Amino acid sequence: MPLETIEDKKRVLREMLFARRFEERCYEAYVERKIGGFLHLYPGQEACVHGVMEAARPGFDYVITGYRDHIHAIKCGCDPKAVMAELYGKATGCSRGYGGSMHLFDVEHRFMGGYALVGGPFPLAAGIAKAILMQGGEEISICFLGDAANNQGTFHETMNMASLWKLPVLYVCENNLYGIGTRIDRSTAVVDQYKRVCGYNIPAVQVDGQDVEAVYEAAKEAVAHVRARKGPYFMELLTYRYRGHSMSDSNAYRPKEEERKWSRRDPIIILRDRLVEAGAMTHDDYKRMDDEILDEIENEIVPFAERSPEPRVEDLERYVLADDDSCRRA
Amino acid sequence: MAEMALWEAVRRAHDEELARDPMVIVMGEDVGLAGGTYKATLGLYEKYGPERVIDTPISENSFTGLGIGASFLGVRPIIEIMSVNFAWLALDQIANTAAKVRYMSGGQLQAPVVIRSPGGVAHQLGAQHSARMEKVFMGIAGLRVVTPSNPRQAYGLLKSAVRCNDPVFINEHEYMYNLRGEVPDEEYLHPLEGSEVAREGRDVTLFGYNISVHWCLKAAERLAAEHGIDCEVVDLYALSPLDRAGIARSVAKTHRAVIVEEAEAPCGVGAEVMAIINEECFYELDAPPVRVSARNVPIPYNRTLERAAIPDPDEVVAAVLRLLGR
């Protein structure tokens, strides 16, 4: 799914706007206590996953990420209804109600999950890449994580192995400048994240993560490199999340001026304005698109989650171990 | 039946599984070119190549995670953690990913990895190389834990673990790699659940696992010869899940139980077996069950202190005599 033509751009604009509205609706459902646990929302960062995945093959390439995972799952092909149902803890959810917001899975679409230990997916993505090499496929492994994950040991340990063994894995660092509530320059000696992999001989690039077309152009090269089996690649996307780290975060640690500055570089507005300037759409078209999305969320997605059944208590111990018991008894 | 050392049995299991399934790989520190710290992979690097017998950097958490990630796609990694003490570093990936991924994905993903690691108190290795971690692993839902006491089990448990769709932790013992025993000539898959009666007896059951099975057997011989006490020895080769029925069956027969473990008592195998006895067969007991465990100390370097920190057959004998009021 390339981002080349006007039609591609309109489609991606719609997908990013859908992502924004979907997350905003999750926020409301959380406030209404329909969604429990922790909820990490994506608004502000939409150009990251969309730009990268337009250059890759969603549903074919393997994707793994952290707990801010709703839009990554949807971009891989997971039905947004199944995502919302999962957030509601329903049996129709993409993890059958066993995972929740932080643990979305859709293995059929090769979305290999959201994981909630910061930095945990680094080696898992490398392992997926190792399996791809063994099985001789053309897939690549793509790992999306935030900047703060790079301060975990798994980052350095895995970059070393991925480079040493030339694994077909693309690491995408969505640098939103904050690790929970701590600003990057207060936690991290080297603020430019792409510089941190040069010690592992991994090609790396820093890109404006608010411009989906810039992300896409950079990702084309990254994906081509990895798919050509030249080894891992690292992308740093400079971005910003509009909300707190999670819903339990008052977001009081960020200067208002900083928030205003980033809101003027909204990834959806940037792409919309380009399309309007190019005469490809009008503000009315955009408004209509938005209305359609809101209608779909309100009248299809939320009701599906609301009406879906709960998982059965009888199944509480299901999925702890494998169903087949061939290895258990003599 | 050929007699072989435990390390040879483990090596044979690796070799056969690597030959059987091209998706089986072995990874760990020094498992390749060096042939394995305890020779468990000797010659396999030359036979199967560096892509399948993989020398890893000293990055326990990440190479374990890498193996787990590969297993998502059907690769069957046998991960060797050189010493169980280093498994603390890999605990995040073992407990948070391997053990939970089937559950939190609603059954979509599985992590069929085998993690082998030697632990236990060996030759004055000091506090940071003498851990007994089985109690840590057996408390993790979604992870199987087995622990061989002889070459036959070491061979058959590893082969079954490779084919099992659950993550399996195999707790070996640094002291036991040269232990010799019979292993079937034909392929043998040992069940990952259950227990084995290592010695039949009537008067008291000695529960052991791994090295402590041998202490129990030695104690049983002495108790029979010197005191006329007929001990049953039950080998709990599966620590998770524990064989509740097997434990209850033996206690219902002997009405007395001694649990022998090389690890410290708190939250350990002994505590768990006692709880199972309470839950399953309390009214069968003629006397309160007894634990013979290590002292609750970091293992000291000094040889005398080191030996004093862990049980031995003498302590088992003494515990049985106390239990029987002799």
Side-chain angles (χ1 to χ4, degrees), chain B residues 188-318:
Chain B
Y188 167 66
L189 299 173
H190 196 289
L192 297 177
E193 293 184 10
S195 60
E196 283 180 353
V197 177
R199 185 187 200 277
E200 298 258 11
R202 287 186 317 269
D203 298 332
V204 55
T205 303
L206 311 182
F207 290 102
Y209 62 94
N210 192 282
I211 200 167
S212 71
V213 170
H214 301 280
W215 304 338
C216 291
L217 289 169
K218 280 202 182 95
E221 277 172 37
R222 278 185 44 198
L223 286 159
E226 297 167 19
H227 302 278
I229 297 167
D230 187 16
C231 296
E232 176 144 301
V233 176
V234 173
D235 181 341
L236 300 171
Y237 63 79
L239 294 180
S240 183
L242 273 165
D243 182 14
R244 300 180 74 91
I247 291 167
R249 195 159 49 239
S250 185
V251 172
K253 179 180 170 191
T254 64
H255 310 289
R256 292 179 183 84
V258 176
I259 307 109
V260 185
E261 56 192 341
E262 196 197 26
E264 318 87 326
C267 310
V269 176
E272 195 57 34
V273 172
M274 273 194 181
I276 288 171
I277 292 169
N278 261 354
E279 290 159 0
E280 300 285 335
C281 52
F282 180 78
Y283 293 103
E284 294 286 352
L285 289 169
D286 285 348
V290 172
R291 279 184 291 189
V292 177
S293 315
R295 301 278 287 278
N296 199 14
V297 295
I299 294 299
Y301 165 71
N302 174 274
R303 184 67 172 164
T304 307
L305 295 182
E306 180 191 65
R307 289 298 114 189
I310 58 169
D312 59 15
D314 291 347
E315 272 192 58
V316 181
V317 168

Side-chain angles (χ1 to χ4, degrees), chain A residues 7-313:
Chain A
E7 286 312 307
D8 293 335
K9 289 171 191 176
K10 282 160 90 168
R11 172 178 55 77
V12 169
L13 176 68
R14 190 184 198 289
E15 288 180 20
M16 292 203 297
L17 185 56
F18 178 88
R20 177 71 54 86
R21 296 305 188 208
F22 184 91
E23 294 288 74
E24 287 170 346
R25 189 61 183 82
C26 292
Y27 176 93
E28 287 174 32
Y30 191 87
V31 172
E32 293 165 12
R33 294 178 177 273
K34 299 280 178 61
I35 298 175
F38 289 126
L39 185 71
H40 306 79
L41 299 173
Y42 202 58
Q45 301 184 205
E46 291 89 350
C48 298
V49 72
H50 286 93
V52 171
M53 291 310 293
E54 286 299 315
R57 294 173 63 184
F60 178 74
D61 292 324
Y62 293 93
V63 171
I64 192 166
T65 188
Y67 38 75
R68 200 178 304 284
D69 59 351
H70 307 172
I71 305 307
H72 300 75
I74 291 170
K75 184 65 181 172
C76 287
C78 186
D79 184 343
K81 292 203 287 289
V83 173
M84 188 63 85
E86 186 61 33
L87 305 185
Y88 274 63
K90 297 300 183 71
T92 55
C94 60
S95 305
R96 299 196 166 101
Y98 287 71
S101 166
M102 299 191 283
H103 306 305
L104 303 180
F105 287 81
D106 185 351
V107 174
E108 190 192 330
H109 290 101
R110 296 190 166 172
F111 179 67
M112 306 303 275
Y115 298 80
L117 274 289
V118 173
F122 284 123
L124 300 175
I128 289 168
K130 168 71 183 171
I132 292 168
L133 281 187
M134 287 179 67
Q135 294 169 353
E138 289 176 13
E139 301 94 335
I140 64 170
S141 175
I142 307 176
C143 177
F144 291 88
L145 287 173
D147 47 293
N150 300 347
N151 289 333
Q152 289 280 19
T154 49
F155 169 76
H156 299 277
E157 293 178 347
T158 305
M159 292 306 140
N160 179 48
M161 290 189 287
S163 181
L164 181 68
W165 296 328
K166 288 207 172 342
L167 298 177
V169 53
L170 169 58
Y171 288 103
V172 181
C173 172
E174 301 189 33
N175 182 356
N176 65 21
L177 304 179
Y178 285 83
I180 317 178
T182 301
R183 223 177 99 111
I184 189 166
D185 57 339
R186 297 182 58 239
S187 66
T188 307
V190 175
V191 168
D192 288 323
Q193 296 304 296
Y194 75 100
K195 292 179 181 168
R196 300 180 77 186
V197 296
C198 69
Y200 302 104
N201 253 343
I202 295 174
V205 65
Q206 186 182 53
V207 186
D208 175 3
Q210 301 306 88
D211 180 346
V212 70
E213 294 182 84
V215 173
Y216 169 71
E217 288 302 325
K220 275 202 289 192
E221 195 173 326
V223 166
H225 175 94
V226 176
R227 208 177 304 280
R229 300 300 182 247
K230 292 177 182 168
Y233 199 102
F234 184 90
M235 297 181 76
E236 177 188 7
L237 310 180
L238 296 173
T239 187
Y240 201 71
R241 63 168 149 77
Y242 290 168
R243 296 200 178 275
H245 167 72
S246 76
M247 291 292 289
S248 56
D249 173 347
S250 66
N251 203 14
Y253 46 80
R254 297 198 302 199
K256 291 297 152 220
E257 182 45 43
E258 180 183 286
E259 293 186 346
R260 273 194 294 276
K261 186 190 108 188
W262 279 93
S263 71
R264 288 194 289 273
R265 300 215 65 249
D266 184 278
I268 295 169
I269 301 302
I270 288 173
L271 182 59
R272 182 200 66 185
D273 287 353
R274 268 188 212 147
L275 287 169
V276 170
E277 265 172 49
M281 73 188 302
T282 65
H283 281 280
D284 282 348
D285 294 336
Y286 178 77
K287 178 75 173 60
R288 204 156 35 243
M289 180 186 278
D290 197 12
D291 288 342
E292 282 168 15
I293 288 168
L294 290 169
D295 181 65
E296 182 189 348
I297 292 171
E298 216 48 59
N299 296 316
E300 289 176 42
I301 293 170
V302 171
F304 175 80
E306 298 263 2
R307 286 179 203 141
S308 287
E310 301 266 330
R312 303 181 314 162
V313 175

Side-chain angles (χ1 to χ4, degrees), chain B residues 29-101:
Chain B
E29 293 151 9
D30 280 0
V31 299
L33 204 52
T37 309
Y38 299 96
K39 298 188 280 189
T41 51
L42 193 67
L44 302 181
Y45 178 87
E46 291 76 11
K47 191 166 175 184
Y48 299 100
E51 306 295 325
R52 296 186 63 203
V53 181
I54 304 164
D55 282 314
T56 65
I58 301 177
S59 306
E60 284 84 3
N61 197 34
S62 293
F63 73 64
T64 301
L66 195 151
I68 292 165
S71 80
F72 291 172
L73 269 64
V75 174
R76 298 272 167 167
I78 306 171
I79 300 165
E80 178 178 292
I81 295 180
M82 185 185 273
S83 160
V84 83
N85 301 264
F86 316 154
W88 288 110
L89 289 161
L91 212 47
D92 168 42
Q93 289 293 348
I94 297 170
N96 280 316
T97 310
K100 291 176 183 165
V101 75

